[in-house]
Amino acid sequence: MESENSYWTENLRLILICLAIWFVVSFVFGILLVEPLNEIRMGGYKLGFWFAQQGSIYVFVALIFWYTSKMNKLDKKYKVEEK
């Protein structure tokens, strides 16, 4: 039972980290800080516009791969990986 609780605690911690990063990138950078970020140019486009249109999607896809990698390691650590 102890190991099951530890597994789910670590799993929820990873999920919360992913959600926090996604929130910051999509809401904070894409909406709240769009005006200050628009002062910076990236590839000819305003950085705030880039975060709102594409940046949050790229970060979301990267988070999927990061979460998958971390969960595979967590599954091996607690010996619950799929065969």
Side-chain angles (χ1 to χ4, degrees):
M1 186 68 162
E2 180 67 31
S3 128
E4 188 176 308
N5 286 338
S6 297
Y7 174 81
W8 283 106
T9 301
E10 288 188 50
N11 186 2
L12 289 175
R13 185 177 146 272
L14 285 174
I15 291 170
L16 290 175
I17 289 170
C18 287
L19 288 174
I21 292 170
W22 192 26
F23 174 79
V24 168
V25 170
S26 63
F27 187 73
V28 176
F29 288 171
I31 296 173
L32 298 180
L33 296 178
V34 72
E35 293 303 323
L37 287 174
N38 277 340
E39 300 298 320
I40 302 167
R41 296 255 179 201
M42 183 172 132
Y45 297 100
K46 297 176 181 178
L47 188 59
F49 173 78
W50 184 83
F51 269 113
Q53 298 301 314
Q54 295 176 337
S56 59
I57 296 169
Y58 290 149
V59 170
F60 179 66
V61 171
L63 281 174
I64 291 171
F65 287 105
W66 180 79
Y67 177 75
T68 303
S69 169
K70 289 298 212 178
M71 279 307 298
N72 286 335
K73 290 177 185 175
L74 189 64
D75 287 348
K76 286 179 185 175
K77 178 180 174 181
Y78 288 98
K79 298 178 178 34
V80 294
E81 72 268 20
E82 294 181 13
K83 303 285 178 185

